[in-house]
Amino acid sequence: MWEARIRHISFISQRTYSSNIGEVNNSFLPFIYNRNPRNLERLRIAPKPMGYALDDKPMNYWHRVVVVQSNKHVGAYIEHFSGKTVISASTKEWAIKQFLRSTSDTQAAATVGKVLAQRCLECGLLEVHSNYDMNLVSPKVSLLLKNIEEGGISLSEPEQFLPHRHWSREAKENPTQIYE
Amino acid sequence: MSLLINQGKLGRSLLLLTQPLFLQPNRELRGKAPDVARSLKQRLDEISRAERDPNLHFKVNIGLPHLKPSRGAEYSCRQKILQSRKGLQSLSNEQISLEEIRKEWLKTSAPFHIKSVAEHYNIFEDLFGEAFFVPRIPLSIKYEQPDGSNLPVYFGNQIKPKEAAVAPSVVFEGDPSSLWSLVLTNPDGHLGEKDAECLHWFIGNIPGNDIKKGEEIVSYLQPFPPRGTGSQRLVFILYKQEKLIDFSSYRKSAPCLELANRTFHMKKFYKEMQDFITPAGLSFFQSDWDDSLTEFFHKKLNMQEPIYDFDFPEPYRRPPVWFPKKAPFNLYLDKHRDPKQISKELLLKRMKTVDPFEPKKPEPKYPNALPEDNKLPSWVRVEIRKQRLKWGRYSDM
């Protein structure tokens, strides 16, 4: 349901620069349909679920990090609010396991954090939500999360941008007009 | 026994107390009982399942088959490595290199991970409809920068158009006798058609893994996401060819700067060629506007630079009435005015106060402490106060 709302988006043309204009390329539609489902989340416009008051852990995120621990293994993955696992790293993988002495110690947790951060950067996720309180979680989990942060991933997501109303008191910048 | 209790007054009240809440006389049961009724999630799933009939909508794997190594051989090889590591001290954090882990990952679980990321970016559905593939051949694509560094393309990382101005170097593993073709397409960036793609690069009949020996069917064009459209996906797809293919119907003469000629439909292309090509590799990046594109639009594409803005849904406003009760007339009327007209008036007002040849006036430290004209009506004075505090629409004044 959310997905459908995100995908039916449109951009309206407002202004055009005039210059030495050819006649070849100047027939374009007033609308562009950007079908990239992650685009609106990057622009902060996409609807973000608010969750429910009685939720154990609040469901207000686009992507969140989940740490999985067992007696033998440590792992972590990034989950979208629709329930899809986007990318994961775990000591169960041969690629990580073969370099570790133990698959469940602090070093394993740190390595999983680093690898997950690297994979997040590679798949274009720079900001993920974290439900974990660094002061309450076990040292292993906090080490994993710290390594994700050191790898260049921010563990907090920006707020959803609500459209500006011309009568409202706050002045807002339009996220589609902001470029890093 | 229950009949007996029912007869007595005490029995009836006892029975009421032991009944569940919704069976008590002053309470009505709305809908089904909680243990029978479905949850919201179950109901939504049911709706989505009804919309997508599994007999019609199912995913087809069109990729290369998985040549799994023998489990026994793999196991003994892995055990040997683990045994050799057992006697050693554990590697320190610095000694575990991420590059080596990544190399091993590309050999083992990377294809499945890349597939799930591509599904998250909805690439298979937008390009192939109801088909998907597991990218078995890892692609190493790098954009060389003027300062000598290389920007790799992974699966969804951000690369600015400025950095992708020149065609990248593409490396993959392939037998010298095999034939390949490489397509770079943008499913989000077609300016003239709704569900079309813009073809940025197409090289066919690549012998072995040498891109330079392949035929360039459509020459490279840098990404040009217009201002305000956000990030667009640019997808590299590597096809394995069964035989030498004649791509003459897709061939375009070298610079091909007419965008209408670059219209492409991956699904149609695959349908036409599916007997001779198999998708083998996938890599994609995202790109959004930067300031180098203005010149690119003007000089290279020889066109106006289009600028877009997100089309927010209109806010709900109660329909206007002739005599609104208890509503301040100025705010009420403003709410129903055209916001463009309001901003135009404000801009004109601002241009009257600002002089480009004079230095900017220093702003008062306490703007609302300045004297007010008491003869003005109160709603005008309130507007003046808002303007002094730069609230809302007065933020630019």
Side-chain angles (χ1 to χ4, degrees):
Chain A
M1 270 174 80
W2 284 99
E3 208 61 27
R5 271 176 62 187
I6 293 165
R7 282 168 59 76
H8 291 141
I9 56 161
S10 46
F11 288 88
I12 199 161
S13 164
Q14 287 195 327
R15 297 165 287 168
T16 43
Y17 279 138
S18 54
S19 158
N20 50 339
I21 306 153
E23 285 175 11
V24 189
N25 287 327
N26 277 325
S27 62
F28 38 82
L29 286 178
F31 287 88
I32 268 193
Y33 292 86
N34 192 337
R35 293 186 278 173
N36 184 357
R38 303 283 81 81
N39 175 35
L40 289 191
E41 287 170 6
R42 274 195 81 91
L43 292 174
R44 301 177 282 133
I45 302 172
K48 198 186 211 178
M50 285 185 281
Y52 296 96
L54 292 178
D55 277 347
D56 177 21
K57 282 177 177 173
M59 272 277 292
N60 51 351
Y61 55 84
W62 288 306
H63 297 95
R64 73 161 169 185
V65 59
V66 183
V67 180
V68 193
Q69 250 185 313
S70 66
N71 286 344
K72 257 191 165 180
H73 290 286
V74 193
Y77 61 90
I78 306 291
E79 190 189 28
H80 189 245
F81 70 78
S82 60
K84 190 183 159 38
T85 302
V86 183
I87 192 85
S88 62
S90 161
T91 52
K92 287 178 189 172
E93 283 173 36
W94 173 245
I96 299 177
K97 185 163 78 179
Q98 60 172 302
F99 297 104
L100 300 172
R101 187 153 191 237
S102 157
T103 51
S104 59
D105 60 354
T106 48
Q107 195 196 21
T111 313
V112 165
K114 275 181 202 165
V115 172
L116 187 68
Q118 188 197 27
R119 288 180 190 171
C120 281
L121 288 179
E122 286 178 8
C123 68
L125 295 176
L126 306 180
E127 284 151 340
V128 291
H129 175 78
S130 160
N131 272 332
Y132 298 97
D133 185 347
M134 287 292 217
N135 302 322
L136 295 180
V137 291
S138 72
K140 225 186 271 179
V141 176
S142 83
L143 188 70
L144 197 156
L145 294 174
K146 249 180 229 163
N147 272 286
I148 292 179
E149 249 185 337
E150 279 166 20
I153 308 297
S154 160
L155 287 185
S156 61
E157 274 188 333
E159 292 277 298
Q160 183 193 335
F161 177 87
L162 295 169
H164 175 63
R165 308 291 183 221
H166 69 266
W167 57 82
S168 71
R169 182 174 148 179
E170 288 85 29
K172 283 182 183 171
E173 271 183 305
N174 190 347
T176 57
Q177 305 298 333
I178 298 170
Y179 307 96
E180 302 106 308
Chain B
M1 183 66 194
S2 63
L3 217 135
L4 267 176
I5 291 175
N6 265 345
Q7 283 169 354
K9 231 180 182 183
L10 182 91
R12 197 172 296 156
S13 58
L14 244 175
L15 197 75
L16 282 181
L17 276 178
T18 50
Q19 292 262 10
L21 264 184
F22 55 84
L23 287 185
Q24 288 177 12
N26 51 348
R27 305 208 181 231
E28 271 179 45
L29 175 67
R30 294 168 65 208
K32 284 176 186 163
D35 50 342
V36 182
R38 294 154 301 160
S39 69
L40 176 65
K41 197 180 177 235
Q42 285 168 327
R43 289 168 66 179
L44 288 176
D45 283 349
E46 229 164 74
I47 292 168
S48 66
R49 236 178 286 140
E51 276 172 7
R52 300 176 73 82
D53 181 9
N55 295 325
L56 295 174
H57 304 277
F58 55 90
K59 303 279 180 192
V60 186
N61 189 351
I62 53 170
L64 289 172
H66 185 24
L67 303 175
K68 215 176 173 186
S70 138
R71 179 75 187 122
E74 196 185 60
Y75 182 75
S76 58
C77 174
R78 288 183 178 184
Q79 279 303 313
K80 252 182 220 166
I81 294 173
L82 287 182
Q83 288 293 334
S84 68
R85 230 174 258 294
K86 228 173 197 182
L88 301 172
Q89 290 266 313
S90 63
L91 292 169
S92 66
N93 275 341
E94 290 79 47
Q95 273 172 307
I96 298 178
S97 89
L98 288 177
E99 275 172 32
E100 266 181 62
I101 291 180
R102 195 182 137 76
K103 241 184 234 169
E104 285 294 318
W105 174 70
L106 284 177
K107 284 180 207 159
T108 51
S109 43
F112 305 103
H113 284 186
I114 295 173
K115 187 203 144 213
S116 83
V117 174
E119 271 173 356
H120 189 53
Y121 279 89
N122 216 34
I123 279 175
F124 297 128
E125 212 171 303
D126 286 341
L127 294 187
F128 297 101
E130 300 289 338
F132 72 95
F133 65 92
V134 181
R136 302 276 175 206
I137 309 284
L139 283 172
S140 157
I141 302 172
K142 277 170 185 168
Y143 279 104
E144 203 178 317
Q145 300 305 304
D147 62 344
S149 60
N150 280 319
L151 261 182
V153 177
Y154 297 116
F155 28 96
N157 55 329
Q158 282 275 337
I159 292 179
K160 288 274 178 186
K162 206 189 290 176
E163 296 156 346
V166 193
S169 68
V170 182
V171 179
F172 58 91
E173 282 175 24
D175 288 334
S177 60
S178 55
L179 282 170
W180 306 82
S181 46
L182 182 80
V183 180
L184 171 60
T185 179
N186 179 354
D188 309 318
H190 202 284
L191 299 177
E193 247 175 86
K194 199 188 154 190
D195 280 333
E197 295 151 33
C198 183
L199 186 63
H200 283 259
W201 204 22
F202 188 0
I203 299 180
N205 299 325
I206 303 165
N209 55 5
D210 198 351
I211 285 274
K212 280 167 194 164
K213 282 182 192 163
E215 301 173 43
E216 197 173 62
I217 287 144
V218 178
S219 59
Y220 181 79
L221 185 72
Q222 69 161 86
F224 52 91
R227 197 166 173 162
T229 56
S231 329
Q232 300 184 345
R233 296 162 291 172
L234 281 108
V235 190
F236 288 92
I237 288 185
L238 181 75
Y239 287 105
K240 187 169 193 200
Q241 291 177 203
E242 301 288 314
K243 56 168 195 180
L244 206 75
I245 300 176
D246 179 24
F247 288 114
S248 56
S249 58
Y250 292 93
R251 190 182 296 280
K252 298 280 166 351
S253 56
C256 189
L257 294 172
E258 199 175 326
L259 291 182
N261 282 344
R262 284 184 180 263
T263 306
F264 189 66
H265 298 272
M266 184 64 94
K267 208 175 165 184
K268 264 187 211 167
F269 169 75
Y270 182 72
K271 254 187 189 170
E272 198 187 319
M273 300 275 174
Q274 61 180 336
D275 294 339
F276 320 116
I277 58 174
T278 314
L282 171 73
S283 195
F284 60 99
F285 65 96
Q286 297 186 82
S287 193
D288 66 344
W289 184 88
D290 72 8
D291 50 6
S292 72
L293 279 182
T294 308
E295 203 185 311
F296 174 79
F297 275 114
H298 289 173
K299 299 223 166 123
K300 206 154 184 198
L301 293 184
N302 198 17
M303 65 186 280
Q304 294 176 320
E305 186 189 9
I307 295 180
Y308 295 86
D309 203 353
F310 182 65
D311 191 16
F312 281 106
E314 271 290 298
Y316 174 75
R317 273 171 291 201
R318 225 187 268 177
V321 288
W322 277 108
F323 302 105
K325 270 184 190 172
K326 290 186 177 177
F329 81 96
N330 55 333
L331 302 186
Y332 187 82
L333 292 176
D334 265 3
K335 206 168 198 175
H336 292 278
R337 275 176 75 199
D338 183 13
K340 271 185 193 168
Q341 183 63 28
I342 295 177
S343 49
K344 188 185 168 187
E345 279 170 19
L346 283 173
L347 184 70
L348 289 175
K349 205 173 170 185
R350 187 176 170 227
M351 281 163 76
K352 268 181 198 168
T353 57
V354 177
D355 192 329
F357 302 109
E358 275 178 24
K360 209 178 165 191
K361 280 177 198 166
E363 298 204 355
K365 199 174 176 187
Y366 305 104
N368 258 354
L370 296 173
E372 276 175 13
D373 187 358
N374 285 345
K375 281 171 191 165
L376 289 171
S378 66
W379 68 269
V380 177
R381 278 188 284 159
V382 169
E383 282 303 305
I384 290 172
R385 264 177 241 156
K386 282 182 187 172
Q387 196 177 328
R388 285 170 174 179
L389 291 173
K390 301 197 170 180
W391 281 4
R393 66 177 81 126
Y394 298 112
S395 58
D396 296 339
M397 293 290 282

